């Protein structure tokens, strides 16, 4: 055949062959020889599927490698040889048709429709316009199946356009109804590329089922059963200026929080100065020395002297600890108080704890009897431990996701990572820079929270050095260790979420959730610590519990898909842990199982408790408020356990996170209700933070549930959920979730920080424990 070229466009030729023979022993062989290459195939064309199933096609159509237009103005001729051969001892009829392709070169912003099948793949040429550095190839189809593959390959012959070799070159992704590939000019020195469309012989790669009627090597022709109509549109991607705008927007949005904090702190400073100049009012009037201990935009500080107060109302007038016996307020570093065991080695103190903590009506002075310096050191361990955990956890994660990204870039397999491909803007080696940039809010607001807590800490220390009576004996004891740990956890959530979004997939999703567990757990601990400072969990036991949770999360990722035994064991652990924790909370940590016969002691104690609480005084539990909270909490947790056992959700990490968040919200609601029941009030700052938290969380969750991808499905099915950018042409719904969730967590922390500021002028023996 002779091809006569006259136009400056690239000419492409398509060869169509058809043979009625179904004899696989004597196929017809076709060899096409061109000026710069050879292409060959056989008819029937055989494709192999899963479990070595075979699919035979008698109609084959292939596009030959195109020739570049010559710089000469005169027409040029190209000779194409097609050799047809068969070793069959009998005649075989075949049909051969060679045609010129009219629409081989794709145009920018212009949709093009075509049809393809496994034996009739298609590919087209695209050249970058002068002013375009990056384009997005959008491919859509009305039908999900047959499963197809979209590939972008350099201008090299031969073009890999069959199911068994399409993955050998370039960038590719599987597709059902939608696919999108971002292509940059810098990756193609010739400033042009091929877009290849291959239909797979089976649908299992896209989540479809394999035909059950096909067994073994049954000869079956599938000529017209797997045709797919496709539409391809190539549109320019964003310019570099949009990257700069997005970065400015991200940083300036969160710098405004810094500005707001400075303004609030300045306003508070002015108010404090005016109060100081006007003189102090007495505590009975609800005002007092708040100059040092109550910055309006900070936290529930951490270093307050625990010196307990006379508690005539709760212990019959017996002073629990006289002011003279209180240790010096200032020195935190005295080596003589390094060990917590220094203050409760005597058996009398142990019995004293039982007497005090099992009273029906407890006040804060009952649970703030330990030496302030020792307790302060205990809570600082939270801060140092979480830094150590963060470093050891983050470094392997960063190395792993860098490896993931390298594999994607080297192999070109875009089915490894579950991006929102319609809004994935690359930068350098990163495939979706926008998903990483949007996590800057967690880091910036986490650092701001640390600064706010530091300010409160410094002001509180000054008040302690001044021996201020309000700081020593009034208000919630100030401990900052947990707040510092929460700030670090918020920053690390940003780091690990960014790492997860380098290459989001099923295997590394726990990176994104690990510090969410820790944030929820630390918030619950802080809420409990507020009115139970002496009996809160130590940092070692708390982090050990988080380690168990994260281990369960990893096991859930590995075994939680279909293994019933895992869900049975996990549900049992969940229910038993809920009961054990409820017992400790109900008895304020005084439920002991040791004794001379500890093997039966726990059962004897359980029987006695049931007899006392349920039979003797079944009309009313001894600690009614605690009992109501624990009953509701256990019902919620048992419901989660039953739901997991029945439905076995595949997203196990989010399931555990839901358990943590529901428990935290339940406890926070209980705390606020009890606070209002106790005739305490909410100051304007915590009230504003509560409202802001609720509003921002509601908006954040709206965007969170706009699912843009899902590693619970195949990559092709996940791409059906992809959507275009919605903010600045750069950020998608999930990026907006990142922005809003960072702000929501920040406001949530401020709620815990400022919730009890109204108690700064209330004696501790007047503050109820709940």
């Amino acid at each position: 055949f002779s091809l006569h070229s006259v136009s400056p466009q690239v000419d492409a030729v398509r060869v169509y062959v058809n043979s009625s023979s179904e004899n696989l022993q004597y196929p017809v062989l076709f060899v096409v020889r061109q000026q710069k290459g050879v292409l060959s195939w056989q008819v029937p064309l055989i494709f192999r599927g899963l479990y070595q199933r075979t699919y035979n096609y008698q109609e084959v159509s292939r596009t030959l490698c195109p020739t570049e237009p010559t710089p000469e103005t005169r027409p040029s001729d190209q000779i194409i040889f097609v050799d047809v051969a068969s070793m069959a001892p009998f005649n075989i009829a075949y049909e051969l048709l060679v045609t010129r392709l009219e629409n081989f070169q794709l145009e920018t912003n212009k949709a093009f429709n075509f049809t393809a099948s496994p034996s009739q793949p298609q590919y087209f040429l695209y050249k970058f316009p002068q002013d375009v550095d990056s384009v997005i190839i959008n491919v859509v189809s009305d039908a999900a199946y047959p499963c197809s593959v979209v590939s972008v390959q350099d201008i090299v012959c031969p073009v890999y356009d069959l199911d068994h070799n399409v993955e050998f070159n370039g960038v590719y992704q599987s597709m059902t109804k939608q696919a999108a590939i971002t292509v940059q000019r810098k990756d193609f020195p010739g400033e042009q590329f091929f877009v290849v469309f291959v239909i797979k012989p089976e649908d299992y790669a896209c989540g479809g089922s394999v035909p059950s009627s096909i067994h073994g090597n049954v000869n079956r022709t599938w000529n017209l059963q797997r045709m797919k109509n496709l539409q391809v549109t190539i549109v320019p991607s964003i310019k570099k200026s949009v990257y700069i705008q997005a970065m400015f927007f991200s940083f300036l949005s969160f710098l405004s929080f810094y500005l707001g904090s400075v303004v609030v702190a300045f306003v508070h400073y002015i108010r404090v100065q005016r109060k100081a100049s006007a003189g102090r009012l007495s505590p009975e009037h609800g005002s007092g020395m708040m100059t040092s201990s109550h910055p309006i935009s900070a936290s529930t500080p951490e270093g307050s002297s625990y010196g307990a107060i006379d508690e005539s109302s709760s212990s019959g007038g017996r002073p629990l600890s006289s002011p003279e016996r209180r240790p010096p307020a200032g020195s935190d570093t005295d080596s003589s108080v390094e060990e917590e065991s220094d203050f409760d080695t005597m058996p009398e103190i142990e019995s004293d704890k039982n007497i005090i903590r099992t009273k029906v009506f407890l006040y804060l002075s009952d649970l703030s009897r330990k030496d302030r310096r020792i307790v302060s050191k205990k809570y600082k361990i939270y801060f140092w431990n979480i830094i150590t955990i963060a470093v050891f956890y983050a470094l392997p994660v960063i190395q792993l996701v860098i490896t993931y990204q390298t594999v994607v870039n080297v192999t070109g397999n875009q089915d490894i990572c579950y991006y929102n491909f319609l809004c994935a803007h690359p930068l350098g080696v990163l495939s979706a820079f926008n998903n990483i940039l949007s996590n800057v809010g967690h880091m910036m607001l986490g650092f701001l929270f640390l600064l706010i807590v530091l300010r409160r800490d410094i002001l509180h220390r000054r008040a302690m050095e001044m021996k201020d009576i309000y700081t020593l004996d009034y208000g919630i004891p100030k401990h900052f260790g947990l707040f510092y740990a929460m700030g670090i956890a918020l920053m690390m959530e940003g780091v690990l979420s960014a790492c997860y979004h380098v290459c989001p997939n099923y295997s590394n999703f726990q990176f994104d959730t690990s510090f969410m567990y820790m944030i929820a757990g630390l918030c619950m601990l802080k809420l409990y610590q507020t009115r139970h400072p002496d009996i809160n969990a130590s940092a070692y036991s708390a982090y050990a519990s988080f380690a168990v949770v994260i281990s369960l999360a990893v096991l859930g990722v590995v075994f939680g898909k279909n293994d019933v035994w895992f869900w049975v064991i996990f549900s049992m652990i969940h229910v038993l842990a809920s009961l054990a924790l409820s017992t400790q909370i109900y008895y304020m940590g005084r439920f002991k199982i040791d004794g001379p016969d500890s093997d039966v002691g726990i059962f004897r104690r359980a029987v006695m408790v049931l007899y006392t609480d349920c039979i003797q005084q079944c009309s009313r539990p001894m600690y009614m408020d605690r009992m109501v909270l624990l009953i509701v909490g256990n019902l919620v947790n048992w419901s989660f356990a039953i739901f997991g056992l029945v439905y076995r959700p595949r997203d196990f990490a989010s399931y555990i996170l839901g358990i943590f968040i529901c428990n935290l919200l339940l406890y926070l609601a209980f705390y606020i209700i009890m606070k209002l029941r106790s005739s305490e009030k909410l100051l304007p700052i915590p009230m504003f933070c509560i409202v802001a938290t609720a509003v921002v969380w509601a908006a954040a969750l709206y965007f969170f549930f706009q699912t843009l991808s899902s590693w619970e499905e195949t990559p092709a099915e996940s791409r059906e959920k992809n959507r275009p950018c919605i903010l600045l042409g750069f950020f998608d719904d999930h990026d907006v979730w990142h922005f809003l969730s960072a702000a929501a967590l920040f406001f949530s922390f401020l709620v815990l920080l400022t919730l009890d500021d109204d108690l700064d002028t209330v004696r501790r023996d007047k503050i109820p424990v709940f």
Side-chain angles (χ1 to χ4, degrees):
F1 297 91
S2 176
L3 177 64
H4 187 65
S5 300
V6 292
S7 68
Q9 291 282 343
V10 176
D11 274 317
V13 172
R14 193 163 178 85
V15 177
Y16 167 85
V17 295
N18 181 18
S19 173
S20 58
S21 171
E22 295 185 13
N23 192 327
L24 299 181
Q25 297 298 319
Y26 299 104
V28 182
L29 306 178
F30 294 86
V31 180
V32 180
R33 290 179 288 136
Q34 295 176 268
Q35 182 178 337
K36 293 184 178 180
V38 176
L39 182 65
S40 63
W41 65 89
Q42 70 178 50
V43 177
L45 185 60
I46 301 174
F47 290 99
R48 296 197 178 274
L50 200 62
Y51 309 123
Q52 298 302 311
R53 292 187 175 93
T54 58
Y55 302 93
N56 310 325
Y57 288 82
Q58 293 173 286
E59 292 184 13
V60 181
S61 182
R62 305 285 296 276
T63 302
L64 305 184
C65 234
T67 57
E68 284 289 334
T70 58
E72 306 160 357
T73 55
R74 60 183 178 80
S76 61
D77 290 331
Q78 181 193 9
I79 306 299
I80 300 172
F81 293 95
V82 180
D83 299 334
V84 184
S86 176
M87 302 293 287
F90 46 83
N91 293 333
I92 296 177
Y94 69 90
E95 180 182 353
L96 171 65
L97 179 65
V98 181
T99 58
R100 185 200 300 266
L101 286 179
E102 298 295 333
N103 297 296
F104 180 68
Q105 188 166 334
L106 299 175
E107 299 180 24
T108 309
N109 290 320
K110 187 175 180 181
F112 179 69
N113 296 280
F114 60 95
T115 302
S117 74
S119 64
Q120 301 182 37
Q122 299 269 16
Y123 65 87
F124 305 96
L125 175 71
Y126 180 79
K127 293 186 177 182
F128 281 98
Q130 288 298 320
D131 57 340
V132 175
D133 293 323
S134 177
V135 295
I136 300 177
I137 304 169
N138 290 324
V139 187
V140 294
S141 175
D142 293 334
Y145 300 110
C147 177
S148 54
V149 175
V150 181
S151 172
V152 175
Q153 301 180 18
D154 204 355
I155 307 294
V156 177
C157 292
V159 177
Y160 297 102
D161 62 350
L162 291 177
D163 175 56
H164 67 273
N165 63 15
V166 69
E167 300 174 358
F168 291 176
N169 187 23
V171 176
Y172 61 92
Q173 53 183 239
S174 56
M175 170 189 165
T176 51
K177 288 186 174 183
Q178 180 172 263
I181 301 178
T182 300
V183 183
Q184 295 178 286
R185 182 195 290 263
K186 66 180 181 64
D187 296 331
F188 294 93
E191 299 185 355
Q192 56 186 353
F193 55 82
F194 289 135
V195 187
V196 185
F197 302 91
V198 174
I199 310 300
K200 298 184 78 67
E202 289 181 345
D203 294 330
Y204 70 91
C206 293
S209 59
V210 179
S212 57
S213 59
I214 304 298
H215 297 289
N217 294 322
V218 176
N219 293 347
R220 185 74 63 93
T221 56
W222 293 75
N223 290 344
L224 299 176
Q225 299 183 30
R226 294 188 65 79
M227 302 293 288
K228 187 163 187 171
N229 297 316
L230 298 159
Q231 181 186 82
V232 57
T233 311
I234 301 183
V235 297
S237 186
I238 59 173
K239 298 183 180 297
K240 293 179 181 177
S241 60
V242 180
Y243 281 82
I244 298 171
Q245 292 173 12
M247 284 190 245
F248 270 109
F249 171 82
S250 302
F251 285 99
L252 292 177
S253 297
F254 294 107
L255 284 174
S256 64
F257 283 82
Y258 284 75
L259 181 61
S261 300
V262 170
V263 170
V264 172
F266 179 73
V267 170
H268 179 261
Y269 174 77
I270 297 298
R271 291 179 59 191
V272 167
Q273 291 301 316
R274 286 179 180 172
K275 282 188 179 181
S277 61
R280 300 178 186 173
L281 299 175
S282 65
E284 287 75 15
H285 291 83
S287 173
M289 193 281 195
M290 299 173 58
T291 55
S292 316
S293 62
H294 179 6
I296 202 162
S297 62
S299 125
T300 307
E302 161 211 70
S304 137
S305 162
Y306 269 84
I309 312 141
D310 259 335
E311 187 188 80
S312 54
S313 63
S314 59
S315 56
R318 181 178 61 84
L320 296 176
S321 169
S322 65
E324 289 76 16
R325 294 171 57 193
R326 183 184 298 117
S331 59
D332 269 2
T333 56
D334 187 352
S335 61
S336 65
V337 293
E338 288 292 337
E339 298 299 329
E340 187 176 347
S341 59
D342 288 352
F343 55 79
D344 50 357
T345 54
M346 298 169 59
E348 307 90 69
I349 296 180
E350 199 59 31
S351 62
D352 195 33
K353 288 182 182 177
N354 286 326
I355 294 169
I356 291 172
R357 294 185 191 172
T358 53
K359 293 189 307 180
V360 177
F361 298 105
L362 272 174
Y363 291 88
L364 188 57
S365 53
D366 295 324
L367 298 180
S368 58
R369 296 159 51 84
K370 294 183 181 177
D371 189 306
R372 178 194 60 80
R373 295 168 296 170
I374 295 171
V375 179
S376 177
K377 288 180 181 295
K378 170 184 173 182
Y379 288 121
K380 283 179 182 173
I381 298 173
Y382 275 97
F383 173 64
W384 294 111
N385 276 13
I386 200 168
I387 291 179
T388 307
I389 292 168
V391 171
F392 277 90
Y393 193 89
L395 289 179
V397 169
I398 293 171
Q399 289 177 308
L400 180 63
V401 296
I402 289 174
T403 302
Y404 267 119
Q405 184 68 71
T406 303
V407 169
V408 171
N409 294 343
V410 170
T411 63
N413 183 2
Q414 295 200 348
D415 284 354
I416 296 175
C417 305
Y418 286 74
Y419 303 117
N420 174 17
F421 287 91
L422 288 176
C423 188
H425 302 298
L427 182 69
V429 298
L430 300 172
S431 298
F433 174 68
N434 54 302
N435 293 152
I436 297 168
L437 175 63
S438 58
N439 284 287
V440 72
H442 294 89
M443 289 175 265
M444 293 182 67
L445 293 183
F447 185 68
L448 174 59
F449 184 73
L450 289 176
L451 293 179
I452 292 173
V453 174
L454 179 62
R455 176 176 180 267
R456 281 211 168 186
D457 196 0
I458 292 171
L459 291 173
H460 180 261
R461 288 175 186 275
R462 288 179 186 168
M464 294 296 299
E465 292 167 2
M466 294 165 56
K467 304 278 195 301
D468 174 52
I469 185 66
Y470 287 88
T471 307
L472 298 176
D473 294 337
Y474 289 73
I476 300 293
K478 314 298 192 222
H479 294 292
F480 297 105
L482 272 167
F483 281 124
Y484 284 123
M486 287 159 59
I488 295 295
L490 181 54
M491 296 179 70
M492 286 308 303
E493 171 56 31
V495 172
L496 291 175
S497 177
C499 289
Y500 163 69
H501 284 284
V502 169
C503 180
N505 60 49
Y506 182 77
S507 302
N508 60 13
F509 181 61
Q510 67 262 27
F511 302 159
D512 195 17
T513 54
S514 295
F515 270 81
M516 290 185 189
Y517 306 146
M518 299 186 74
I519 287 172
L522 289 172
C523 288
M524 282 189 277
L525 285 171
K526 183 61 204 176
L527 209 51
Y528 188 76
Q529 178 224 49
T530 304
R531 308 215 180 202
H532 310 79
D534 284 2
I535 60 173
N536 206 18
S538 71
Y540 304 114
S541 57
Y543 288 131
S545 303
F546 296 151
V548 170
V549 170
I550 292 174
S551 301
L552 286 172
V554 174
L555 290 175
V557 168
V558 177
F559 299 110
K561 299 176 187 176
N562 299 307
D563 295 322
V564 179
W565 63 266
F566 171 81
W567 284 98
V568 171
I569 294 173
F570 175 78
S571 299
M572 290 175 60
I573 293 173
H574 185 186
V575 170
L576 291 175
S578 300
L579 290 173
L581 188 60
S582 300
T583 305
Q584 286 297 311
I585 291 173
Y586 188 71
Y587 289 102
M588 292 289 180
R590 305 314 301 161
F591 187 88
K592 298 292 183 184
I593 63 173
D594 52 356
D597 51 352
S598 58
D599 52 342
V600 296
I602 184 171
F603 299 106
R604 182 179 302 162
R605 179 69 187 269
V607 170
M608 289 300 297
V609 167
L610 286 172
Y611 177 75
T612 305
D613 282 6
C614 299
I615 299 175
Q616 277 193 337
Q617 49 181 25
C618 59
S619 59
R620 180 181 177 86
M622 185 178 293
Y623 314 113
M624 175 58 79
D625 293 331
R626 270 179 262 167
M627 179 62 77
V628 171
L629 168 68
L630 295 174
I631 287 176
V632 175
N634 275 278
L635 287 176
V636 169
N637 282 281
W638 296 354
S639 301
F640 266 105
I642 294 170
F643 173 83
L645 199 56
V646 173
Y647 292 99
R648 299 195 293 278
R650 189 177 177 193
D651 188 354
F652 186 75
S654 295
Y655 170 75
I656 292 188
L657 186 60
I659 294 174
F660 268 86
I661 291 176
C662 282
N663 281 277
L664 173 59
L665 292 176
L666 182 68
Y667 189 28
L668 181 60
F670 168 80
Y671 189 94
I672 294 175
I673 291 170
M674 291 301 298
K675 181 178 176 67
L676 297 175
R677 269 190 63 190
S678 304
S679 300
E680 299 174 10
K681 59 184 178 180
L682 293 175
L683 294 179
I685 290 293
M687 181 60 78
F688 168 78
C689 292
I690 289 172
V691 173
T693 300
V695 171
V696 178
W697 268 124
L701 290 173
Y702 169 79
F703 287 100
F704 175 74
F705 288 112
Q706 304 299 310
T707 310
L708 303 179
S709 62
S710 173
W711 42 255
E712 297 180 36
E713 302 172 340
T714 63
E717 291 172 320
S718 171
R719 271 186 277 276
E720 292 182 26
K721 297 178 169 63
N722 289 178
R723 295 186 197 170
C725 306
I726 62 168
L727 180 63
L728 300 178
F730 191 83
F731 297 112
D732 61 19
D733 297 76
H734 197 75
D735 295 323
V736 177
W737 148 253
H738 286 162
F739 288 135
L740 293 176
S741 64
L745 283 170
F746 177 71
F747 282 124
S748 303
F749 288 3
L750 288 184
V751 170
L752 297 181
L753 191 65
T754 60
L755 190 57
D756 288 312
D757 282 350
D758 60 297
L759 302 178
D760 281 355
T761 55
V762 179
R763 288 169 58 92
R764 287 179 192 158
D765 58 353
K766 299 290 192 296
I767 300 176
V769 170
F770 42 77

